[in-house]
């Protein structure tokens, strides 16, 4: 495989190349800070997806349905009601 063929594609898609319409990569220190924040944001999003999956496994409903159930009856529909989140209640 020729790595030169892929380097042009990686440059085109990575911020700082043509995919930087606002010029956010001009300052190298700020650019490194933005990259760090983007990685942290991605990790937080992955953790949130694990929470959505765990919520579905515990209740059999998605997060929006659970939100609507909780808003309809906030004192009776809580995380303690499903028998999985807090098994001793």
């Amino acid at each position: 495989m020729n790595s030169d063929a892929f380097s042009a594609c990686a440059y085109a898609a990575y911020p700082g190349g043509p995919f930087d319409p606002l010029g956010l990569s001009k300052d190298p220190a700020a650019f490194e800070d933005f990259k760090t924040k983007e990685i942290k944001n991605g990790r937080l999003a992955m953790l949130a997806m694990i929470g959505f999956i765990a919520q579905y496994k515990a209740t059999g409903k998605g997060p929006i349905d659970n939100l609507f159930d909780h808003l309809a009856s906030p004192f009776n529909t809580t995380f303690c009601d499903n028998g999985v989140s807090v098994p001793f209640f």
Side-chain angles (χ1 to χ4, degrees):
M1 255 188 200
N2 186 0
S3 63
D4 293 337
F6 294 108
S7 65
C9 294
Y11 175 75
Y14 196 74
F19 187 70
D20 189 18
L22 299 176
L24 297 175
S25 66
K26 300 288 185 211
D27 181 18
F31 185 54
E32 289 299 319
D33 186 47
F34 289 145
K35 287 196 294 187
T36 303
K37 288 178 181 179
E38 183 65 25
I39 290 171
K40 289 180 180 181
N41 183 35
R43 290 176 181 165
L44 187 62
M46 287 186 273
L47 188 62
M49 283 304 300
I50 291 171
F52 288 159
I53 293 166
Q55 183 179 26
Y56 180 78
K57 293 288 187 183
T59 63
K61 298 178 187 177
I64 302 299
D65 292 332
N66 284 325
L67 175 65
F68 288 152
D69 290 346
H70 176 70
L71 291 176
S73 179
F75 297 109
N76 296 325
T77 307
T78 63
F79 71 97
C80 297
D81 293 337
N82 61 28
V84 177
S85 298
V86 183
F88 52 84
F89 278 145

